[in-house]
Amino acid sequence: EPEVTQTPSHQVTQMGQEVILRCVPISNHLYFYWYRQILGQKVEFLVSFYNNEISEKSEIFDDQFSVERPDGSNFTLKIRSTKLEDSAMYFCASSRRQTYNEQFFGPGTRLTVL
Amino acid sequence: TQLLEQSPQFLSIQEGENLTVYCNSSSVFSSLQWYRQEPGEGPVLLVTVVTGGEVKKLKRLTFQFGDARKDSSLHITAAQPGDTGLYLCAGESFTGAGSYQLTFGKGTKLSVIP
């Protein structure tokens, strides 16, 4: 069964460093998303991406964040200068349709900023 | 900002008992999805409900979407230890920018005691 994959599973970085989180969405999906979940809190929407551009982004997704689909399979989230409060689980998701969309989530990347 | 309130937050029951988890909002959603999340993993989609009043069954799990598409419930019959986990509801809404996004509730942590 096709699934969303994410690498790395755990990333530890120093405050101020850049990190890139990688995702491979399900191959026939067209809509891609990033979410984050701070420990003990709810899953929060960051950004949606379609047709090589951002469709929607939340207030959390400020200028420090960017997304890219560098090739036909990968979808990346870059945080330019990490802050302590960026420590969280980051989930990538993909869906086939825009609405009534069943979003399938990856296993997540645990980002720890020291 | 749309909010989804889930109740109860925590639920501990004996094996064989029935239970209901609620997901409520003052906002209307185009669809509502239920996920299950294990510690340190990504949410796994259980079901999507789209039509007001819709009922879907997944073995011992029954999902209902409210008539006004503002609320939903998950009923588990004869709970088993394998049902233990975090259950999340997520409402899909149109952002007005030509895009849809999911808003998650905080989840119900279910523990089924053998």
Side-chain angles (χ1 to χ4, degrees), chain A residues 11-23:
Chain A
Q11 173 97 43
V12 181
T13 189
Q14 294 290 327
M15 188 170 58
Q17 294 296 305
E18 174 183 286
V19 294
I20 297 177
L21 310 183
R22 291 183 166 79
C23 167

mmCIF file with all atom_site columns, all heavy atoms in Angstrom, chain A residues 11-23:
data_model
loop_
_atom_site.group_PDB
_atom_site.id
_atom_site.type_symbol
_atom_site.label_atom_id
_atom_site.label_alt_id
_atom_site.label_comp_id
_atom_site.label_asym_id
_atom_site.label_entity_id
_atom_site.label_seq_id
_atom_site.pdbx_PDB_ins_code
_atom_site.Cartn_x
_atom_site.Cartn_y
_atom_site.Cartn_z
_atom_site.occupancy
_atom_site.B_iso_or_equiv
_atom_site.pdbx_formal_charge
_atom_site.auth_seq_id
_atom_site.auth_comp_id
_atom_site.auth_asym_id
_atom_site.auth_atom_id
_atom_site.pdbx_PDB_model_num
ATOM 1   N N   . GLN A 1 11 ? 15.791 14.914 13.934 1.00 0.00 ? 11 GLN A N   1
ATOM 2   C CA  . GLN A 1 11 ? 16.822 15.888 13.587 1.00 0.00 ? 11 GLN A CA  1
ATOM 3   C C   . GLN A 1 11 ? 17.092 16.752 14.808 1.00 0.00 ? 11 GLN A C   1
ATOM 4   O O   . GLN A 1 11 ? 16.164 17.348 15.365 1.00 0.00 ? 11 GLN A O   1
ATOM 5   C CB  . GLN A 1 11 ? 16.342 16.774 12.434 1.00 0.00 ? 11 GLN A CB  1
ATOM 6   C CG  . GLN A 1 11 ? 17.241 17.928 12.086 1.00 0.00 ? 11 GLN A CG  1
ATOM 7   C CD  . GLN A 1 11 ? 18.168 17.608 10.928 1.00 0.00 ? 11 GLN A CD  1
ATOM 8   O OE1 . GLN A 1 11 ? 17.779 17.025 9.940  1.00 0.00 ? 11 GLN A OE1 1
ATOM 9   N NE2 . GLN A 1 11 ? 19.417 18.007 11.087 1.00 0.00 ? 11 GLN A NE2 1
ATOM 10  N N   . VAL A 1 12 ? 18.355 16.796 15.192 1.00 0.00 ? 12 VAL A N   1
ATOM 11  C CA  . VAL A 1 12 ? 18.769 17.665 16.294 1.00 0.00 ? 12 VAL A CA  1
ATOM 12  C C   . VAL A 1 12 ? 19.636 18.774 15.705 1.00 0.00 ? 12 VAL A C   1
ATOM 13  O O   . VAL A 1 12 ? 20.553 18.498 14.935 1.00 0.00 ? 12 VAL A O   1
ATOM 14  C CB  . VAL A 1 12 ? 19.559 16.888 17.361 1.00 0.00 ? 12 VAL A CB  1
ATOM 15  C CG1 . VAL A 1 12 ? 19.951 17.827 18.505 1.00 0.00 ? 12 VAL A CG1 1
ATOM 16  C CG2 . VAL A 1 12 ? 18.741 15.728 17.902 1.00 0.00 ? 12 VAL A CG2 1
ATOM 17  N N   . THR A 1 13 ? 19.350 20.014 16.067 1.00 0.00 ? 13 THR A N   1
ATOM 18  C CA  . THR A 1 13 ? 20.104 21.131 15.502 1.00 0.00 ? 13 THR A CA  1
ATOM 19  C C   . THR A 1 13 ? 20.291 22.210 16.554 1.00 0.00 ? 13 THR A C   1
ATOM 20  O O   . THR A 1 13 ? 19.598 22.246 17.568 1.00 0.00 ? 13 THR A O   1
ATOM 21  C CB  . THR A 1 13 ? 19.362 21.705 14.285 1.00 0.00 ? 13 THR A CB  1
ATOM 22  O OG1 . THR A 1 13 ? 20.201 22.648 13.621 1.00 0.00 ? 13 THR A OG1 1
ATOM 23  C CG2 . THR A 1 13 ? 18.072 22.404 14.687 1.00 0.00 ? 13 THR A CG2 1
ATOM 24  N N   . GLN A 1 14 ? 21.247 23.059 16.300 1.00 0.00 ? 14 GLN A N   1
ATOM 25  C CA  . GLN A 1 14 ? 21.499 24.198 17.173 1.00 0.00 ? 14 GLN A CA  1
ATOM 26  C C   . GLN A 1 14 ? 20.621 25.371 16.736 1.00 0.00 ? 14 GLN A C   1
ATOM 27  O O   . GLN A 1 14 ? 20.363 25.557 15.537 1.00 0.00 ? 14 GLN A O   1
ATOM 28  C CB  . GLN A 1 14 ? 22.976 24.613 17.092 1.00 0.00 ? 14 GLN A CB  1
ATOM 29  C CG  . GLN A 1 14 ? 23.946 23.582 17.631 1.00 0.00 ? 14 GLN A CG  1
ATOM 30  C CD  . GLN A 1 14 ? 23.865 23.440 19.134 1.00 0.00 ? 14 GLN A CD  1
ATOM 31  O OE1 . GLN A 1 14 ? 23.605 24.403 19.854 1.00 0.00 ? 14 GLN A OE1 1
ATOM 32  N NE2 . GLN A 1 14 ? 24.068 22.222 19.619 1.00 0.00 ? 14 GLN A NE2 1
ATOM 33  N N   . MET A 1 15 ? 20.216 26.154 17.694 1.00 0.00 ? 15 MET A N   1
ATOM 34  C CA  . MET A 1 15 ? 19.426 27.350 17.415 1.00 0.00 ? 15 MET A CA  1
ATOM 35  C C   . MET A 1 15 ? 20.160 28.221 16.390 1.00 0.00 ? 15 MET A C   1
ATOM 36  O O   . MET A 1 15 ? 21.385 28.408 16.481 1.00 0.00 ? 15 MET A O   1
ATOM 37  C CB  . MET A 1 15 ? 19.245 28.120 18.720 1.00 0.00 ? 15 MET A CB  1
ATOM 38  C CG  . MET A 1 15 ? 18.291 29.273 18.649 1.00 0.00 ? 15 MET A CG  1
ATOM 39  S SD  . MET A 1 15 ? 17.927 29.925 20.305 1.00 0.00 ? 15 MET A SD  1
ATOM 40  C CE  . MET A 1 15 ? 19.555 30.348 20.891 1.00 0.00 ? 15 MET A CE  1
ATOM 41  N N   . GLY A 1 16 ? 19.425 28.718 15.411 1.00 0.00 ? 16 GLY A N   1
ATOM 42  C CA  . GLY A 1 16 ? 20.008 29.563 14.385 1.00 0.00 ? 16 GLY A CA  1
ATOM 43  C C   . GLY A 1 16 ? 20.449 28.824 13.135 1.00 0.00 ? 16 GLY A C   1
ATOM 44  O O   . GLY A 1 16 ? 20.733 29.448 12.107 1.00 0.00 ? 16 GLY A O   1
ATOM 45  N N   . GLN A 1 17 ? 20.496 27.507 13.212 1.00 0.00 ? 17 GLN A N   1
ATOM 46  C CA  . GLN A 1 17 ? 20.896 26.706 12.059 1.00 0.00 ? 17 GLN A CA  1
ATOM 47  C C   . GLN A 1 17 ? 19.712 26.484 11.131 1.00 0.00 ? 17 GLN A C   1
ATOM 48  O O   . GLN A 1 17 ? 18.548 26.528 11.536 1.00 0.00 ? 17 GLN A O   1
ATOM 49  C CB  . GLN A 1 17 ? 21.450 25.355 12.513 1.00 0.00 ? 17 GLN A CB  1
ATOM 50  C CG  . GLN A 1 17 ? 22.750 25.457 13.288 1.00 0.00 ? 17 GLN A CG  1
ATOM 51  C CD  . GLN A 1 17 ? 23.872 25.998 12.442 1.00 0.00 ? 17 GLN A CD  1
ATOM 52  O OE1 . GLN A 1 17 ? 24.178 25.470 11.381 1.00 0.00 ? 17 GLN A OE1 1
ATOM 53  N NE2 . GLN A 1 17 ? 24.490 27.088 12.902 1.00 0.00 ? 17 GLN A NE2 1
ATOM 54  N N   . GLU A 1 18 ? 20.035 26.188 9.881  1.00 0.00 ? 18 GLU A N   1
ATOM 55  C CA  . GLU A 1 18 ? 19.013 25.856 8.888  1.00 0.00 ? 18 GLU A CA  1
ATOM 56  C C   . GLU A 1 18 ? 18.775 24.353 8.888  1.00 0.00 ? 18 GLU A C   1
ATOM 57  O O   . GLU A 1 18 ? 19.724 23.568 9.034  1.00 0.00 ? 18 GLU A O   1
ATOM 58  C CB  . GLU A 1 18 ? 19.487 26.303 7.505  1.00 0.00 ? 18 GLU A CB  1
ATOM 59  C CG  . GLU A 1 18 ? 18.571 25.894 6.358  1.00 0.00 ? 18 GLU A CG  1
ATOM 60  C CD  . GLU A 1 18 ? 19.140 26.298 5.015  1.00 0.00 ? 18 GLU A CD  1
ATOM 61  O OE1 . GLU A 1 18 ? 19.116 27.501 4.684  1.00 0.00 ? 18 GLU A OE1 1
ATOM 62  O OE2 . GLU A 1 18 ? 19.610 25.391 4.277  1.00 0.00 ? 18 GLU A OE2 1
ATOM 63  N N   . VAL A 1 19 ? 17.523 23.966 8.729  1.00 0.00 ? 19 VAL A N   1
ATOM 64  C CA  . VAL A 1 19 ? 17.208 22.547 8.592  1.00 0.00 ? 19 VAL A CA  1
ATOM 65  C C   . VAL A 1 19 ? 16.296 22.347 7.385  1.00 0.00 ? 19 VAL A C   1
ATOM 66  O O   . VAL A 1 19 ? 15.510 23.230 7.034  1.00 0.00 ? 19 VAL A O   1
ATOM 67  C CB  . VAL A 1 19 ? 16.521 21.948 9.846  1.00 0.00 ? 19 VAL A CB  1
ATOM 68  C CG1 . VAL A 1 19 ? 17.446 21.951 11.027 1.00 0.00 ? 19 VAL A CG1 1
ATOM 69  C CG2 . VAL A 1 19 ? 15.230 22.658 10.153 1.00 0.00 ? 19 VAL A CG2 1
ATOM 70  N N   . ILE A 1 20 ? 16.442 21.206 6.761  1.00 0.00 ? 20 ILE A N   1
ATOM 71  C CA  . ILE A 1 20 ? 15.549 20.818 5.663  1.00 0.00 ? 20 ILE A CA  1
ATOM 72  C C   . ILE A 1 20 ? 14.946 19.472 6.004  1.00 0.00 ? 20 ILE A C   1
ATOM 73  O O   . ILE A 1 20 ? 15.667 18.496 6.242  1.00 0.00 ? 20 ILE A O   1
ATOM 74  C CB  . ILE A 1 20 ? 16.312 20.735 4.326  1.00 0.00 ? 20 ILE A CB  1
ATOM 75  C CG1 . ILE A 1 20 ? 16.866 22.111 3.955  1.00 0.00 ? 20 ILE A CG1 1
ATOM 76  C CG2 . ILE A 1 20 ? 15.376 20.228 3.219  1.00 0.00 ? 20 ILE A CG2 1
ATOM 77  C CD1 . ILE A 1 20 ? 17.705 22.112 2.689  1.00 0.00 ? 20 ILE A CD1 1
ATOM 78  N N   . LEU A 1 21 ? 13.634 19.450 6.035  1.00 0.00 ? 21 LEU A N   1
ATOM 79  C CA  . LEU A 1 21 ? 12.903 18.217 6.289  1.00 0.00 ? 21 LEU A CA  1
ATOM 80  C C   . LEU A 1 21 ? 12.361 17.719 4.956  1.00 0.00 ? 21 LEU A C   1
ATOM 81  O O   . LEU A 1 21 ? 11.814 18.503 4.173  1.00 0.00 ? 21 LEU A O   1
ATOM 82  C CB  . LEU A 1 21 ? 11.752 18.465 7.277  1.00 0.00 ? 21 LEU A CB  1
ATOM 83  C CG  . LEU A 1 21 ? 12.125 19.207 8.565  1.00 0.00 ? 21 LEU A CG  1
ATOM 84  C CD1 . LEU A 1 21 ? 10.908 19.314 9.476  1.00 0.00 ? 21 LEU A CD1 1
ATOM 85  C CD2 . LEU A 1 21 ? 13.288 18.574 9.274  1.00 0.00 ? 21 LEU A CD2 1
ATOM 86  N N   . ARG A 1 22 ? 12.508 16.423 4.749  1.00 0.00 ? 22 ARG A N   1
ATOM 87  C CA  . ARG A 1 22 ? 12.163 15.874 3.437  1.00 0.00 ? 22 ARG A CA  1
ATOM 88  C C   . ARG A 1 22 ? 10.974 14.925 3.512  1.00 0.00 ? 22 ARG A C   1
ATOM 89  O O   . ARG A 1 22 ? 10.794 14.202 4.498  1.00 0.00 ? 22 ARG A O   1
ATOM 90  C CB  . ARG A 1 22 ? 13.363 15.156 2.841  1.00 0.00 ? 22 ARG A CB  1
ATOM 91  C CG  . ARG A 1 22 ? 14.480 16.111 2.449  1.00 0.00 ? 22 ARG A CG  1
ATOM 92  C CD  . ARG A 1 22 ? 15.648 15.439 1.782  1.00 0.00 ? 22 ARG A CD  1
ATOM 93  N NE  . ARG A 1 22 ? 16.522 16.417 1.155  1.00 0.00 ? 22 ARG A NE  1
ATOM 94  C CZ  . ARG A 1 22 ? 17.421 17.158 1.798  1.00 0.00 ? 22 ARG A CZ  1
ATOM 95  N NH1 . ARG A 1 22 ? 17.569 17.019 3.095  1.00 0.00 ? 22 ARG A NH1 1
ATOM 96  N NH2 . ARG A 1 22 ? 18.172 18.026 1.147  1.00 0.00 ? 22 ARG A NH2 1
ATOM 97  N N   . CYS A 1 23 ? 10.214 14.910 2.437  1.00 0.00 ? 23 CYS A N   1
ATOM 98  C CA  . CYS A 1 23 ? 9.006  14.088 2.351  1.00 0.00 ? 23 CYS A CA  1
ATOM 99  C C   . CYS A 1 23 ? 8.898  13.547 0.929  1.00 0.00 ? 23 CYS A C   1
ATOM 100 O O   . CYS A 1 23 ? 9.231  14.249 -0.033 1.00 0.00 ? 23 CYS A O   1
ATOM 101 C CB  . CYS A 1 23 ? 7.791  14.955 2.702  1.00 0.00 ? 23 CYS A CB  1
ATOM 102 S SG  . CYS A 1 23 ? 6.185  14.238 2.305  1.00 0.00 ? 23 CYS A SG  1
#
